[in-house]
Amino acid sequence: MTARRRLVPYGLLAPGAIWLALFFVIPMYFMGELALRSGTFTEGFQPAFEVSNFSDALSGNTDQFVRSFVYAGTATLIALLIAYPLSYAIALRAGRFKLLLLFAVVAPFFTTYLIRTIAWKTILSDDSPAVSVLQFLHLVPEDGRVLATGAAVIAGLTYNFLPFMILPIYASLDRIDTSLIEAGKDLYASSTQTFLRVTLPITAPGIVAGVLLTFIPAVGDYVNAEILGGTGTAMIGNVIQSLYLEQRNYPEAAALSFIMMLAILAVVLVYLRVAGSGAFMGDDEERS
Amino acid sequence: MARTKAGNSEDPNPSVELRDVTKRFGDFTAVDDLTLAIGEGEFFTMLGPSGCGKTTTLRMVAGFEEATEGQVLIDGADVVGLPPYKRPTNTVFQSYALFPHMNVADNVAFGLKRKGVDKKEIERRVGEELERVGLAREANRRPAQLSGGMQQRVALARALVNLPKVLLLDEPLGALDLKLRKGLQVQLKRIQREVGITFVYVTHDQEEALTMSDRIAVMNQGRIEQVADPEQVYDRPASTFVAGFIGVSNLMPGTVRKSGASGEVELDSGAKIKAKVGGFSVGERLNAVVRPEKLDVDAGGPGDPVVEGLVESSLYLGTATQLIVKLPDDVRMTVLVPNADEAQRQRLPGGGAKVKLSWAPEHMHVVRESAEPTSSNDKEEAT
């Protein structure tokens, strides 16, 4: 009986573990193996220990690499700045409109990613009202354009991943016991101080989750740069896509994917150490 | 003595004063033209069923709600319009509201840090306060690692450490089990006596109110029914509502036949009894109240008022036996007979027996019928 009970957690883990093994670990192995092959598409790729694939993939693509992280980082930051006040308003001020507003946040998902991004191409096109307004405000030069610039790619990324930022932050704000905010004010903290010392730290896990959910897919994204960008806005995803689908250089594409994964992992680990440590530690101690 | 202020509503320098305070939420009037003065160092309780306006009143003193009309004064100064962080009050919340991301010591230090108190001083006062509530060893733990009773004591320490002029407590023991509640009641009362700070305590538990308070305000539907010390509220309830809400209500409806200090009342059950009905006029309806423990069964002195009824049930409660007696007008009277004398207990009538209930005249109190029906239902809901 007790032995059986001890097996229960493993039983619950099994589906997820099998899923990860089949669709993550095994493909990773094949991709790693592919990244070390040599040859050409027409002659076939032979197993070798072609480490130069990695250096080849990196050389000449450093710009796209840096750009990926800068674009994704900027988009994540803007999304956070939009999402937090919005989530706050929905969770704590919206009253009976809460569900309606939440629905409005998720509603764009009823259209596919590609269509939504193409819609933004229209919004940002040279003679669109939005761009005219920006030109009128002198945020964009009179003869300047928005489409095909880095700004357009960042705008697209921000828009497309915004719900992933809003939902976890909303969830953490919705759960907050409002008497905690009252307690802060009762203990001589002004509204600003209460926000900084009570509300923000308590909702930090939601921010950490939102940032990860936005940043990670944004780094690897190639659709926004493809549709909204122009020359000199290509991201690492575009390079991988071109290596794989156009140049048919499978080993180098695999090698570049690997490098990107490791880079994201490194950035995320640093981020979690710096920004998330307090929040996650607090969470852990509560559970113990 | 803590009781010195009891019943002293004429305190020239009240700690908290409400003048004609009304609070409306849309169409709903939560607090209706309330006037109240709470003396310095007093343990003042607002008692009533849920929705009676007691918590709203407390929140108006704390600054979480603003009065729609009227004035709120703390230490003589009008605080209307001041945010909570500018008021000399601290609150102990029903849900404790401890900051989950801070340990116990940081929770308690929160207020002092915001006030810019010197670091050494903060450390000393936090230590002292945790000592007082018996949690010195838990200083580095997180709230979630503590039991409900401990969390409540942290909340108390977090408020008291700031030495507020007024401490506001919103049903602080509501979420705890009975035994723990009893222990904390004693501790709270001791701490209040020690620090001498004015406590304004909100509860729906009449026993809690009677045990701890210097004075009690019994509230109903946004109004105060009675403000008095516990003995008076219990023995001389000002209204049918108070009589019904505090303790077991033995309310015998009747009509005044002769007014004055030596008047006469004809109860609906048929008995004519002598009663002091000074403020009443002939023909007026009233309720005669006698507490269960003041009723005698088939005994009583000559000249004592007597009513007759049938025993409906008899219940052995350990320290006492409880009889439910039904009067001819279908009013049910609860009688508590202490089990001091085993022989007497054996003689008590059983179910179906005819009994005479009597009481000493001074143990009876008459109240006007409230405009609202006695909210015995509200009370059950609340407790």
PDB file of all heavy atoms in Angstrom, chain A residues 177 179-180 182-183 185-190 193 197-198 201-202 285, chain B residues 59 64 84-85 90-91 93 95 97-99 101 111 114 142 158 162:
ATOM      1  N   ASP A 177      -4.403  39.553  -2.125  1.00  0.00           N
ATOM      2  CA  ASP A 177      -5.384  39.884  -1.096  1.00  0.00           C
ATOM      3  C   ASP A 177      -5.346  41.400  -0.920  1.00  0.00           C
ATOM      4  O   ASP A 177      -4.338  41.952  -0.485  1.00  0.00           O
ATOM      5  CB  ASP A 177      -4.977  39.156   0.200  1.00  0.00           C
ATOM      6  CG  ASP A 177      -5.870  39.506   1.368  1.00  0.00           C
ATOM      7  OD1 ASP A 177      -6.845  40.270   1.164  1.00  0.00           O
ATOM      8  OD2 ASP A 177      -5.593  39.026   2.478  1.00  0.00           O
ATOM      9  N   SER A 179      -6.441  43.296   1.154  1.00  0.00           N
ATOM     10  CA  SER A 179      -6.167  43.818   2.489  1.00  0.00           C
ATOM     11  C   SER A 179      -4.661  43.964   2.715  1.00  0.00           C
ATOM     12  O   SER A 179      -4.234  44.692   3.603  1.00  0.00           O
ATOM     13  CB  SER A 179      -6.808  42.938   3.574  1.00  0.00           C
ATOM     14  OG  SER A 179      -6.210  41.682   3.614  1.00  0.00           O
ATOM     15  N   LEU A 180      -3.835  43.299   1.881  1.00  0.00           N
ATOM     16  CA  LEU A 180      -2.385  43.511   1.975  1.00  0.00           C
ATOM     17  C   LEU A 180      -2.034  44.936   1.556  1.00  0.00           C
ATOM     18  O   LEU A 180      -1.167  45.581   2.156  1.00  0.00           O
ATOM     19  CB  LEU A 180      -1.634  42.523   1.078  1.00  0.00           C
ATOM     20  CG  LEU A 180      -1.608  41.070   1.536  1.00  0.00           C
ATOM     21  CD1 LEU A 180      -1.024  40.190   0.445  1.00  0.00           C
ATOM     22  CD2 LEU A 180      -0.791  40.942   2.806  1.00  0.00           C
ATOM     23  N   GLU A 182      -4.120  47.437   1.731  1.00  0.00           N
ATOM     24  CA  GLU A 182      -4.627  48.278   2.819  1.00  0.00           C
ATOM     25  C   GLU A 182      -3.667  48.267   4.001  1.00  0.00           C
ATOM     26  O   GLU A 182      -3.428  49.293   4.629  1.00  0.00           O
ATOM     27  CB  GLU A 182      -6.015  47.799   3.256  1.00  0.00           C
ATOM     28  CG  GLU A 182      -7.099  48.193   2.266  1.00  0.00           C
ATOM     29  CD  GLU A 182      -8.476  47.776   2.728  1.00  0.00           C
ATOM     30  OE1 GLU A 182      -8.582  46.987   3.694  1.00  0.00           O
ATOM     31  OE2 GLU A 182      -9.456  48.221   2.112  1.00  0.00           O
ATOM     32  N   ALA A 183      -3.115  47.085   4.297  1.00  0.00           N
ATOM     33  CA  ALA A 183      -2.175  46.979   5.417  1.00  0.00           C
ATOM     34  C   ALA A 183      -0.955  47.857   5.162  1.00  0.00           C
ATOM     35  O   ALA A 183      -0.468  48.528   6.076  1.00  0.00           O
ATOM     36  CB  ALA A 183      -1.753  45.530   5.627  1.00  0.00           C
ATOM     37  N   LYS A 185      -0.825  50.633   3.449  1.00  0.00           N
ATOM     38  CA  LYS A 185      -1.195  52.034   3.665  1.00  0.00           C
ATOM     39  C   LYS A 185      -1.448  52.305   5.142  1.00  0.00           C
ATOM     40  O   LYS A 185      -1.191  53.394   5.639  1.00  0.00           O
ATOM     41  CB  LYS A 185      -2.436  52.380   2.841  1.00  0.00           C
ATOM     42  CG  LYS A 185      -2.122  52.400   1.355  1.00  0.00           C
ATOM     43  CD  LYS A 185      -3.295  52.887   0.545  1.00  0.00           C
ATOM     44  CE  LYS A 185      -2.990  52.743  -0.928  1.00  0.00           C
ATOM     45  NZ  LYS A 185      -4.185  52.889  -1.751  1.00  0.00           N
ATOM     46  N   ASP A 186      -1.966  51.294   5.828  1.00  0.00           N
ATOM     47  CA  ASP A 186      -2.222  51.441   7.264  1.00  0.00           C
ATOM     48  C   ASP A 186      -0.908  51.615   8.017  1.00  0.00           C
ATOM     49  O   ASP A 186      -0.866  52.240   9.064  1.00  0.00           O
ATOM     50  CB  ASP A 186      -2.958  50.193   7.768  1.00  0.00           C
ATOM     51  CG  ASP A 186      -3.480  50.375   9.184  1.00  0.00           C
ATOM     52  OD1 ASP A 186      -4.341  51.234   9.369  1.00  0.00           O
ATOM     53  OD2 ASP A 186      -2.999  49.656  10.088  1.00  0.00           O
ATOM     54  N   LEU A 187       0.157  51.027   7.474  1.00  0.00           N
ATOM     55  CA  LEU A 187       1.464  51.083   8.142  1.00  0.00           C
ATOM     56  C   LEU A 187       2.326  52.185   7.535  1.00  0.00           C
ATOM     57  O   LEU A 187       3.516  52.024   7.315  1.00  0.00           O
ATOM     58  CB  LEU A 187       2.150  49.717   8.062  1.00  0.00           C
ATOM     59  CG  LEU A 187       1.419  48.622   8.861  1.00  0.00           C
ATOM     60  CD1 LEU A 187       1.850  47.247   8.429  1.00  0.00           C
ATOM     61  CD2 LEU A 187       1.652  48.810  10.351  1.00  0.00           C
ATOM     62  N   TYR A 188       1.711  53.296   7.226  1.00  0.00           N
ATOM     63  CA  TYR A 188       2.384  54.555   6.872  1.00  0.00           C
ATOM     64  C   TYR A 188       3.073  54.554   5.519  1.00  0.00           C
ATOM     65  O   TYR A 188       3.893  55.425   5.245  1.00  0.00           O
ATOM     66  CB  TYR A 188       3.396  54.947   7.962  1.00  0.00           C
ATOM     67  CG  TYR A 188       2.842  54.793   9.351  1.00  0.00           C
ATOM     68  CD1 TYR A 188       3.328  53.840  10.229  1.00  0.00           C
ATOM     69  CD2 TYR A 188       1.775  55.596   9.773  1.00  0.00           C
ATOM     70  CE1 TYR A 188       2.802  53.679  11.488  1.00  0.00           C
ATOM     71  CE2 TYR A 188       1.238  55.449  11.027  1.00  0.00           C
ATOM     72  CZ  TYR A 188       1.751  54.489  11.880  1.00  0.00           C
ATOM     73  OH  TYR A 188       1.220  54.328  13.127  1.00  0.00           O
ATOM     74  N   ALA A 189       2.793  53.578   4.647  1.00  0.00           N
ATOM     75  CA  ALA A 189       3.371  53.615   3.311  1.00  0.00           C
ATOM     76  C   ALA A 189       2.397  54.326   2.377  1.00  0.00           C
ATOM     77  O   ALA A 189       1.213  54.001   2.353  1.00  0.00           O
ATOM     78  CB  ALA A 189       3.652  52.205   2.810  1.00  0.00           C
ATOM     79  N   SER A 190       2.897  55.309   1.614  1.00  0.00           N
ATOM     80  CA  SER A 190       2.042  56.000   0.657  1.00  0.00           C
ATOM     81  C   SER A 190       1.662  55.026  -0.454  1.00  0.00           C
ATOM     82  O   SER A 190       2.160  53.905  -0.492  1.00  0.00           O
ATOM     83  CB  SER A 190       2.801  57.180   0.054  1.00  0.00           C
ATOM     84  OG  SER A 190       3.912  56.693  -0.664  1.00  0.00           O
ATOM     85  N   GLN A 193       4.770  53.893  -2.294  1.00  0.00           N
ATOM     86  CA  GLN A 193       5.575  52.990  -1.468  1.00  0.00           C
ATOM     87  C   GLN A 193       4.915  51.635  -1.316  1.00  0.00           C
ATOM     88  O   GLN A 193       5.576  50.601  -1.370  1.00  0.00           O
ATOM     89  CB  GLN A 193       5.784  53.612  -0.083  1.00  0.00           C
ATOM     90  CG  GLN A 193       6.930  54.591  -0.018  1.00  0.00           C
ATOM     91  CD  GLN A 193       7.096  55.123   1.390  1.00  0.00           C
ATOM     92  OE1 GLN A 193       6.123  55.325   2.108  1.00  0.00           O
ATOM     93  NE2 GLN A 193       8.331  55.333   1.787  1.00  0.00           N
ATOM     94  N   ARG A 197       6.719  48.251  -2.379  1.00  0.00           N
ATOM     95  CA  ARG A 197       7.173  47.352  -1.329  1.00  0.00           C
ATOM     96  C   ARG A 197       6.230  46.183  -1.060  1.00  0.00           C
ATOM     97  O   ARG A 197       6.610  45.217  -0.419  1.00  0.00           O
ATOM     98  CB  ARG A 197       7.375  48.124  -0.022  1.00  0.00           C
ATOM     99  CG  ARG A 197       8.422  49.169  -0.170  1.00  0.00           C
ATOM    100  CD  ARG A 197       8.820  49.774   1.145  1.00  0.00           C
ATOM    101  NE  ARG A 197       9.761  50.856   0.923  1.00  0.00           N
ATOM    102  CZ  ARG A 197      11.055  50.665   0.767  1.00  0.00           C
ATOM    103  NH1 ARG A 197      11.564  49.463   0.851  1.00  0.00           N
ATOM    104  NH2 ARG A 197      11.857  51.684   0.550  1.00  0.00           N
ATOM    105  N   VAL A 198       4.990  46.312  -1.513  1.00  0.00           N
ATOM    106  CA  VAL A 198       4.040  45.227  -1.263  1.00  0.00           C
ATOM    107  C   VAL A 198       3.552  44.600  -2.572  1.00  0.00           C
ATOM    108  O   VAL A 198       3.835  43.444  -2.860  1.00  0.00           O
ATOM    109  CB  VAL A 198       2.832  45.716  -0.413  1.00  0.00           C
ATOM    110  CG1 VAL A 198       1.857  44.574  -0.172  1.00  0.00           C
ATOM    111  CG2 VAL A 198       3.322  46.284   0.912  1.00  0.00           C
ATOM    112  N   PRO A 201       6.551  43.282  -5.224  1.00  0.00           N
ATOM    113  CA  PRO A 201       7.243  42.031  -4.835  1.00  0.00           C
ATOM    114  C   PRO A 201       6.323  40.821  -4.814  1.00  0.00           C
ATOM    115  O   PRO A 201       6.746  39.720  -5.189  1.00  0.00           O
ATOM    116  CB  PRO A 201       7.753  42.324  -3.423  1.00  0.00           C
ATOM    117  CG  PRO A 201       7.628  43.763  -3.199  1.00  0.00           C
ATOM    118  CD  PRO A 201       6.703  44.341  -4.208  1.00  0.00           C
ATOM    119  N   ILE A 202       5.067  41.021  -4.408  1.00  0.00           N
ATOM    120  CA  ILE A 202       4.164  39.870  -4.325  1.00  0.00           C
ATOM    121  C   ILE A 202       3.812  39.362  -5.716  1.00  0.00           C
ATOM    122  O   ILE A 202       3.601  38.178  -5.926  1.00  0.00           O
ATOM    123  CB  ILE A 202       2.893  40.237  -3.508  1.00  0.00           C
ATOM    124  CG1 ILE A 202       3.276  40.444  -2.050  1.00  0.00           C
ATOM    125  CG2 ILE A 202       1.831  39.154  -3.618  1.00  0.00           C
ATOM    126  CD1 ILE A 202       2.160  40.943  -1.179  1.00  0.00           C
ATOM    127  N   GLU A 285      10.101  29.174  -0.087  1.00  0.00           N
ATOM    128  CA  GLU A 285      10.027  29.109   1.369  1.00  0.00           C
ATOM    129  C   GLU A 285       8.596  29.010   1.854  1.00  0.00           C
ATOM    130  O   GLU A 285       8.326  28.381   2.858  1.00  0.00           O
ATOM    131  CB  GLU A 285      10.691  30.339   1.971  1.00  0.00           C
ATOM    132  CG  GLU A 285      12.183  30.123   2.094  1.00  0.00           C
ATOM    133  CD  GLU A 285      12.850  31.180   2.933  1.00  0.00           C
ATOM    134  OE1 GLU A 285      12.204  31.674   3.874  1.00  0.00           O
ATOM    135  OE2 GLU A 285      13.986  31.501   2.637  1.00  0.00           O
TER     136      GLU A 285
ATOM    137  N   ARG B  59     -13.625  50.970   9.368  1.00  0.00           N
ATOM    138  CA  ARG B  59     -12.838  51.351   8.190  1.00  0.00           C
ATOM    139  C   ARG B  59     -12.863  52.868   7.952  1.00  0.00           C
ATOM    140  O   ARG B  59     -11.941  53.409   7.360  1.00  0.00           O
ATOM    141  CB  ARG B  59     -13.349  50.605   6.955  1.00  0.00           C
ATOM    142  CG  ARG B  59     -13.018  49.108   7.000  1.00  0.00           C
ATOM    143  CD  ARG B  59     -13.712  48.323   5.897  1.00  0.00           C
ATOM    144  NE  ARG B  59     -13.318  48.766   4.572  1.00  0.00           N
ATOM    145  CZ  ARG B  59     -12.192  48.390   3.958  1.00  0.00           C
ATOM    146  NH1 ARG B  59     -11.378  47.557   4.550  1.00  0.00           N
ATOM    147  NH2 ARG B  59     -11.900  48.851   2.773  1.00  0.00           N
ATOM    148  N   PHE B  64      -9.899  53.751   5.341  1.00  0.00           N
ATOM    149  CA  PHE B  64     -10.099  52.946   4.129  1.00  0.00           C
ATOM    150  C   PHE B  64     -11.401  53.321   3.424  1.00  0.00           C
ATOM    151  O   PHE B  64     -11.583  53.053   2.247  1.00  0.00           O
ATOM    152  CB  PHE B  64     -10.111  51.450   4.452  1.00  0.00           C
ATOM    153  CG  PHE B  64      -8.847  50.973   5.093  1.00  0.00           C
ATOM    154  CD1 PHE B  64      -8.884  50.190   6.228  1.00  0.00           C
ATOM    155  CD2 PHE B  64      -7.607  51.324   4.570  1.00  0.00           C
ATOM    156  CE1 PHE B  64      -7.715  49.760   6.825  1.00  0.00           C
ATOM    157  CE2 PHE B  64      -6.440  50.897   5.155  1.00  0.00           C
ATOM    158  CZ  PHE B  64      -6.492  50.116   6.291  1.00  0.00           C
ATOM    159  N   PRO B  84      -5.089  56.663   4.995  1.00  0.00           N
ATOM    160  CA  PRO B  84      -4.773  55.831   6.159  1.00  0.00           C
ATOM    161  C   PRO B  84      -3.363  56.064   6.689  1.00  0.00           C
ATOM    162  O   PRO B  84      -3.137  56.059   7.892  1.00  0.00           O
ATOM    163  CB  PRO B  84      -4.906  54.403   5.629  1.00  0.00           C
ATOM    164  CG  PRO B  84      -5.766  54.500   4.439  1.00  0.00           C
ATOM    165  CD  PRO B  84      -5.596  55.868   3.872  1.00  0.00           C
ATOM    166  N   TYR B  85      -2.393  56.290   5.754  1.00  0.00           N
ATOM    167  CA  TYR B  85      -1.008  56.398   6.216  1.00  0.00           C
ATOM    168  C   TYR B  85      -0.709  57.711   6.919  1.00  0.00           C
ATOM    169  O   TYR B  85       0.388  57.911   7.406  1.00  0.00           O
ATOM    170  CB  TYR B  85      -0.028  56.154   5.054  1.00  0.00           C
ATOM    171  CG  TYR B  85      -0.259  56.975   3.811  1.00  0.00           C
ATOM    172  CD1 TYR B  85       0.323  58.228   3.668  1.00  0.00           C
ATOM    173  CD2 TYR B  85      -1.054  56.490   2.772  1.00  0.00           C
ATOM    174  CE1 TYR B  85       0.129  58.982   2.520  1.00  0.00           C
ATOM    175  CE2 TYR B  85      -1.253  57.237   1.619  1.00  0.00           C
ATOM    176  CZ  TYR B  85      -0.668  58.486   1.497  1.00  0.00           C
ATOM    177  OH  TYR B  85      -0.872  59.225   0.366  1.00  0.00           O
ATOM    178  N   ASN B  90      -3.670  52.114  13.696  1.00  0.00           N
ATOM    179  CA  ASN B  90      -3.194  50.905  13.027  1.00  0.00           C
ATOM    180  C   ASN B  90      -4.272  49.847  13.128  1.00  0.00           C
ATOM    181  O   ASN B  90      -5.085  49.867  14.049  1.00  0.00           O
ATOM    182  CB  ASN B  90      -1.889  50.398  13.635  1.00  0.00           C
ATOM    183  CG  ASN B  90      -0.705  51.273  13.243  1.00  0.00           C
ATOM    184  OD1 ASN B  90      -0.096  51.921  14.074  1.00  0.00           O
ATOM    185  ND2 ASN B  90      -0.418  51.327  11.947  1.00  0.00           N
ATOM    186  N   THR B  91      -4.264  48.952  12.156  1.00  0.00           N
ATOM    187  CA  THR B  91      -5.356  47.992  12.044  1.00  0.00           C
ATOM    188  C   THR B  91      -4.847  46.566  12.135  1.00  0.00           C
ATOM    189  O   THR B  91      -3.796  46.238  11.591  1.00  0.00           O
ATOM    190  CB  THR B  91      -6.084  48.194  10.696  1.00  0.00           C
ATOM    191  OG1 THR B  91      -6.453  49.563  10.574  1.00  0.00           O
ATOM    192  CG2 THR B  91      -7.331  47.337  10.616  1.00  0.00           C
ATOM    193  N   PHE B  93      -6.124  43.130  10.791  1.00  0.00           N
ATOM    194  CA  PHE B  93      -7.130  42.689   9.832  1.00  0.00           C
ATOM    195  C   PHE B  93      -7.632  41.284  10.154  1.00  0.00           C
ATOM    196  O   PHE B  93      -6.913  40.470  10.720  1.00  0.00           O
ATOM    197  CB  PHE B  93      -6.541  42.694   8.419  1.00  0.00           C
ATOM    198  CG  PHE B  93      -6.195  44.063   7.926  1.00  0.00           C
ATOM    199  CD1 PHE B  93      -4.971  44.629   8.227  1.00  0.00           C
ATOM    200  CD2 PHE B  93      -7.094  44.788   7.171  1.00  0.00           C
ATOM    201  CE1 PHE B  93      -4.641  45.894   7.776  1.00  0.00           C
ATOM    202  CE2 PHE B  93      -6.774  46.058   6.714  1.00  0.00           C
ATOM    203  CZ  PHE B  93      -5.539  46.610   7.018  1.00  0.00           C
ATOM    204  N   SER B  95      -8.129  38.936   8.054  1.00  0.00           N
ATOM    205  CA  SER B  95      -7.358  37.941   7.312  1.00  0.00           C
ATOM    206  C   SER B  95      -5.875  38.028   7.670  1.00  0.00           C
ATOM    207  O   SER B  95      -5.051  37.464   6.969  1.00  0.00           O
ATOM    208  CB  SER B  95      -7.531  38.180   5.823  1.00  0.00           C
ATOM    209  OG  SER B  95      -7.049  39.470   5.492  1.00  0.00           O
ATOM    210  N   ALA B  97      -3.536  39.714   6.903  1.00  0.00           N
ATOM    211  CA  ALA B  97      -2.871  40.564   5.899  1.00  0.00           C
ATOM    212  C   ALA B  97      -1.386  40.715   6.173  1.00  0.00           C
ATOM    213  O   ALA B  97      -0.823  41.796   6.036  1.00  0.00           O
ATOM    214  CB  ALA B  97      -3.555  41.939   5.832  1.00  0.00           C
ATOM    215  N   LEU B  98      -0.724  39.637   6.551  1.00  0.00           N
ATOM    216  CA  LEU B  98       0.730  39.683   6.728  1.00  0.00           C
ATOM    217  C   LEU B  98       1.380  39.639   5.354  1.00  0.00           C
ATOM    218  O   LEU B  98       0.897  38.951   4.458  1.00  0.00           O
ATOM    219  CB  LEU B  98       1.201  38.504   7.576  1.00  0.00           C
ATOM    220  CG  LEU B  98       0.646  38.456   8.994  1.00  0.00           C
ATOM    221  CD1 LEU B  98       1.123  37.192   9.699  1.00  0.00           C
ATOM    222  CD2 LEU B  98       1.063  39.682   9.782  1.00  0.00           C
ATOM    223  N   PHE B  99       2.491  40.368   5.188  1.00  0.00           N
ATOM    224  CA  PHE B  99       3.167  40.390   3.904  1.00  0.00           C
ATOM    225  C   PHE B  99       3.864  39.055   3.682  1.00  0.00           C
ATOM    226  O   PHE B  99       4.785  38.708   4.422  1.00  0.00           O
ATOM    227  CB  PHE B  99       4.160  41.546   3.845  1.00  0.00           C
ATOM    228  CG  PHE B  99       3.520  42.882   4.118  1.00  0.00           C
ATOM    229  CD1 PHE B  99       4.011  43.726   5.095  1.00  0.00           C
ATOM    230  CD2 PHE B  99       2.389  43.278   3.405  1.00  0.00           C
ATOM    231  CE1 PHE B  99       3.412  44.943   5.349  1.00  0.00           C
ATOM    232  CE2 PHE B  99       1.781  44.499   3.655  1.00  0.00           C
ATOM    233  CZ  PHE B  99       2.300  45.326   4.633  1.00  0.00           C
ATOM    234  N   HIS B 101       5.941  38.002   1.513  1.00  0.00           N
ATOM    235  CA  HIS B 101       7.315  37.995   1.028  1.00  0.00           C
ATOM    236  C   HIS B 101       8.317  38.474   2.069  1.00  0.00           C
ATOM    237  O   HIS B 101       9.490  38.655   1.765  1.00  0.00           O
ATOM    238  CB  HIS B 101       7.419  38.835  -0.244  1.00  0.00           C
ATOM    239  CG  HIS B 101       6.953  40.258  -0.049  1.00  0.00           C
ATOM    240  ND1 HIS B 101       5.666  40.576   0.306  1.00  0.00           N
ATOM    241  CD2 HIS B 101       7.599  41.429  -0.162  1.00  0.00           C
ATOM    242  CE1 HIS B 101       5.550  41.885   0.395  1.00  0.00           C
ATOM    243  NE2 HIS B 101       6.713  42.431   0.126  1.00  0.00           N
ATOM    244  N   GLY B 111       6.114  49.292   9.502  1.00  0.00           N
ATOM    245  CA  GLY B 111       5.597  50.622   9.829  1.00  0.00           C
ATOM    246  C   GLY B 111       6.682  51.561  10.334  1.00  0.00           C
ATOM    247  O   GLY B 111       6.752  52.723   9.933  1.00  0.00           O
ATOM    248  N   ARG B 114       8.858  52.850   7.532  1.00  0.00           N
ATOM    249  CA  ARG B 114       8.230  53.899   6.731  1.00  0.00           C
ATOM    250  C   ARG B 114       8.266  55.227   7.465  1.00  0.00           C
ATOM    251  O   ARG B 114       8.339  56.284   6.863  1.00  0.00           O
ATOM    252  CB  ARG B 114       6.780  53.531   6.413  1.00  0.00           C
ATOM    253  CG  ARG B 114       6.590  52.272   5.604  1.00  0.00           C
ATOM    254  CD  ARG B 114       7.077  52.380   4.184  1.00  0.00           C
ATOM    255  NE  ARG B 114       8.496  52.118   4.032  1.00  0.00           N
ATOM    256  CZ  ARG B 114       9.058  50.900   4.156  1.00  0.00           C
ATOM    257  NH1 ARG B 114       8.340  49.854   4.465  1.00  0.00           N
ATOM    258  NH2 ARG B 114      10.355  50.747   3.999  1.00  0.00           N
ATOM    259  N   ARG B 142       8.723  32.814   7.909  1.00  0.00           N
ATOM    260  CA  ARG B 142       7.757  33.480   7.035  1.00  0.00           C
ATOM    261  C   ARG B 142       6.351  33.261   7.587  1.00  0.00           C
ATOM    262  O   ARG B 142       6.093  32.226   8.206  1.00  0.00           O
ATOM    263  CB  ARG B 142       7.828  32.872   5.632  1.00  0.00           C
ATOM    264  CG  ARG B 142       9.174  33.081   4.993  1.00  0.00           C
ATOM    265  CD  ARG B 142       9.069  34.098   3.894  1.00  0.00           C
ATOM    266  NE  ARG B 142      10.385  34.352   3.345  1.00  0.00           N
ATOM    267  CZ  ARG B 142      10.604  35.155   2.329  1.00  0.00           C
ATOM    268  NH1 ARG B 142       9.590  35.743   1.758  1.00  0.00           N
ATOM    269  NH2 ARG B 142      11.808  35.351   1.890  1.00  0.00           N
ATOM    270  N   ARG B 158       2.667  43.777  14.719  1.00  0.00           N
ATOM    271  CA  ARG B 158       2.974  44.686  13.615  1.00  0.00           C
ATOM    272  C   ARG B 158       2.230  46.010  13.773  1.00  0.00           C
ATOM    273  O   ARG B 158       2.730  47.064  13.388  1.00  0.00           O
ATOM    274  CB  ARG B 158       2.576  44.025  12.287  1.00  0.00           C
ATOM    275  CG  ARG B 158       2.980  44.820  11.073  1.00  0.00           C
ATOM    276  CD  ARG B 158       2.609  44.129   9.795  1.00  0.00           C
ATOM    277  NE  ARG B 158       1.166  44.052   9.609  1.00  0.00           N
ATOM    278  CZ  ARG B 158       0.579  43.599   8.512  1.00  0.00           C
ATOM    279  NH1 ARG B 158       1.320  43.151   7.513  1.00  0.00           N
ATOM    280  NH2 ARG B 158      -0.721  43.557   8.413  1.00  0.00           N
ATOM    281  N   ASN B 162       3.959  50.293  16.455  1.00  0.00           N
ATOM    282  CA  ASN B 162       3.954  51.690  16.039  1.00  0.00           C
ATOM    283  C   ASN B 162       3.370  52.626  17.104  1.00  0.00           C
ATOM    284  O   ASN B 162       3.305  53.827  16.888  1.00  0.00           O
ATOM    285  CB  ASN B 162       3.144  51.846  14.755  1.00  0.00           C
ATOM    286  CG  ASN B 162       3.651  50.947  13.659  1.00  0.00           C
ATOM    287  OD1 ASN B 162       4.760  51.118  13.178  1.00  0.00           O
ATOM    288  ND2 ASN B 162       2.861  49.950  13.286  1.00  0.00           N
TER     289      ASN B 162
END
